[in-house]
């Protein structure tokens, strides 16, 4: 079944990166809506909600995932028949997928303007949005080069250097701990985001906060490329972003760990970079200072604070 298959691929990181995860979840909901047979509207809604919950449970940090699911599921809201609900989901999913792709293209054009001819850029992890800015600058004829980190423990840096290489961009591959050593040669850091909170903090791959710290110390600008659906509406009411903790054997093989009974491996997959270390967030709606995150949440995600109040009340009652 498409939902289980997509959920498994997201969990195992065969599908990874906040934007790709969001699009895959939207596509899975669309295909699921199309495959669910004739039944009552209530049964259809229940089936779709079950699918939505399965997808959301796969990875806890990338806010693009629940945001995409929320956007697609609102297609059901006004439906009076199963057919209307089905069409609502399919239309919402297709619109989300294409607008998310357009968002990356717009971010590329806006982000590229912040890259000057001759710049040395540093990027961490593998972000479609961040790489799109770098590749666009190169396409515009700017002579740029890139430091790309390895990204322990899952080595997403290997995907990044393949993409940069295929685009013909001169790239230096470094281990994560070399960032401080090379930062004085860098003009600009560009990374992506899994979530942006209402106070402008950016949640991204583990190590991003150290990169930002090094950049801040060396007075190197730090730019985050993030579509508006990576902003986290629920942080408006105090909800925290959950940082995914992945299995220790991604860091230390089980056969070695077994010989070290006093050692516990911690493997947090993401960290939080405070707003004061970030110069600019490039969204498809424009480049903003991180302090404007609240405006993006209110204006572009379009979910009123009232909706969150009522959802909190519902949840509260539910838990009692
Ligand atoms: C990926 C990661 C990326 C963001 C943004 O983590 O941290 O920087 O998701 O990526 P993981 P994009 O590999 O654990 O999913 O710009 O492609 O959405």
């Amino acid at each position: 079944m498409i939902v289980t298959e997509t959920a498994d691929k997201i969990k195992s990181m065969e599908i990874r990166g906040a934007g790709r995860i969001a699009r895959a979840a939207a596509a899975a909901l669309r295909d699921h809506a199309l495959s669910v047979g004739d039944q009552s509207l209530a049964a259809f809604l229940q089936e779709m909600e079950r699918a939505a919950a399965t997808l959301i449970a796969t990875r806890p940090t990338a806010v693009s995932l629940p945001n995409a699911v929320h956007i697609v599921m609102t297609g059901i809201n006004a439906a009076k028949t199963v057919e209307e609900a089905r069409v609502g989901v399919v239309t919402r999913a297709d619109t989300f997928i294409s607008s998310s792709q357009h968002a990356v293209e717009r971010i590329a054009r806006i982000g590229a303007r912040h890259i000057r001819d001759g710049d040395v850029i540093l990027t961490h992890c593998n972000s479609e949005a961040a790489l799109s800015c770098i590749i666009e600058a190169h396409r515009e004829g700017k002579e740029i080069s890139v430091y790309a980190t390895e990204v322990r423990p899952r080595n997403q840096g290997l995907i990044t250097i393949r993409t940069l290489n295929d685009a013909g961009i001169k790239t230096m591959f470094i281990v994560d701990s070399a960032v401080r050593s090379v930062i004085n040669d860098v003009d600009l850091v560009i990374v992506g985001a899994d979530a942006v909170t209402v106070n402008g903090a950016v949640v991204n791959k583990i190590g991003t906060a150290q990169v930002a710290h090094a950049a801040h110390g060396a007075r190197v600008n730090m730019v985050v490329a993030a579509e508006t659906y990576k902003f986290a509406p629920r942080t408006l009411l105090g909800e925290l972003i959950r940082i995914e903790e992945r299995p220790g054997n991604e860091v230390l093989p089980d056969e070695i760990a077994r010989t070290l009974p006093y050692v516990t491996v911690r493997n947090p997959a993401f960290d939080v970079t405070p707003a004061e270390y970030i110069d600019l967030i490039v969204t498809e709606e424009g480049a903003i200072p991180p302090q404007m995150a609240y405006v993006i949440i209110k204006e572009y995600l379009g979910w009123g604070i009232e909706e969150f109040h009522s959802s909190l009340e519902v949840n509260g009652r539910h838990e009692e």
Side-chain angles (χ1 to χ4, degrees):
M1 180 183 129
I2 184 76
V3 169
T4 319
E5 237 171 68
T6 304
D8 287 346
K9 284 185 183 168
I10 296 174
K11 245 188 242 163
S12 66
M13 291 175 64
E14 191 180 320
I15 299 172
R16 49 145 304 281
R20 289 191 180 90
I21 289 172
R23 286 196 289 277
L29 285 175
R30 175 197 60 203
D31 296 347
H32 189 57
L34 287 170
S35 74
V36 172
D38 282 343
Q39 50 186 254
S40 70
L41 180 59
F44 180 83
L45 296 188
Q46 209 181 9
E47 183 52 40
M48 290 307 297
E49 267 158 22
R50 203 190 50 75
T54 303
L55 290 163
I56 287 176
T58 52
R59 292 195 78 187
T61 304
V63 164
S64 54
L65 174 60
N67 278 354
V69 167
H70 178 94
I71 289 166
V72 173
M73 292 294 282
T74 52
I76 290 179
N77 282 352
K80 294 196 174 50
T81 64
V82 170
E83 223 23 62
E84 276 177 29
R86 208 190 307 274
V87 170
V89 168
V90 171
T91 313
R92 288 281 183 149
D94 284 340
T95 307
F96 173 78
I97 292 167
S98 77
S99 70
S100 129
Q101 280 154 347
H102 284 130
V104 175
E105 289 161 20
R106 281 178 64 94
I107 286 172
R109 288 198 294 276
I110 300 169
R113 294 202 180 123
H114 292 273
I115 299 172
R116 294 159 308 173
D117 195 28
D119 270 357
V120 177
I121 299 156
L122 187 143
T123 191
H124 181 62
C125 197
N126 176 256
S127 158
E128 192 187 21
L131 284 176
S132 74
C133 303
I134 298 170
I135 291 168
E136 175 61 18
H138 171 74
R139 207 191 54 76
E140 289 170 3
K142 293 175 187 165
E143 286 273 342
I144 54 170
S145 58
V146 179
Y147 277 103
T149 50
E150 186 182 25
V151 196
R152 279 273 290 155
R154 293 291 297 244
N155 298 324
Q156 287 94 331
L158 292 175
I159 316 171
T160 295
I161 59 172
R162 170 79 49 205
T163 305
L164 290 168
N165 181 75
D166 291 352
I169 298 173
K170 201 175 133 214
T171 302
M172 275 78 65
F173 189 45
I174 54 170
V175 295
D176 301 343
S177 44
V179 168
R180 183 64 192 84
S181 294
V182 304
I183 199 72
N184 288 324
D185 301 334
V186 171
D187 299 297
L188 184 67
V189 174
I190 306 183
V191 295
D194 281 82
V196 182
T197 66
V198 70
N199 64 351
V202 168
V203 183
N204 192 48
K205 180 54 53 191
I206 192 80
T208 303
Q210 280 182 24
V211 171
H213 195 250
H216 190 71
R219 307 282 183 271
V220 172
N221 279 349
M222 171 98 185
V223 170
V224 174
E227 303 89 310
T228 50
Y229 59 83
K230 309 232 176 109
F231 286 65
R234 287 175 182 276
T235 59
L236 205 59
L237 289 188
E239 198 169 295
L240 300 176
I241 303 290
R242 211 176 109 210
I243 301 293
E244 177 181 9
E245 186 96 22
R246 294 190 58 87
N249 62 8
E250 287 187 346
V251 178
L252 192 69
D254 285 334
E255 56 273 26
I256 299 177
R258 268 196 294 274
T259 67
L260 304 167
Y262 292 104
V263 175
T264 307
V265 180
R266 291 277 322 273
N267 185 17
F270 300 94
D271 62 22
V272 183
T273 300
E276 63 262 31
Y277 286 0
I278 298 158
D279 293 284
L280 209 60
I281 303 180
V282 179
T283 78
E284 72 276 20
E285 300 296 339
I288 58 159
Q291 291 75 13
M292 261 180 72
Y294 170 80
V295 177
I296 295 289
I297 288 172
K298 287 290 279 182
E299 302 283 317
Y300 293 104
L301 293 175
W303 305 341
I305 199 161
E306 300 77 21
E307 186 183 342
F308 290 117
H309 274 304
S310 57
S311 84
L312 279 189
E313 273 159 29
V314 170
N315 289 342
R317 273 205 295 276
H318 202 70
E319 280 163 17
E320 276 159 21

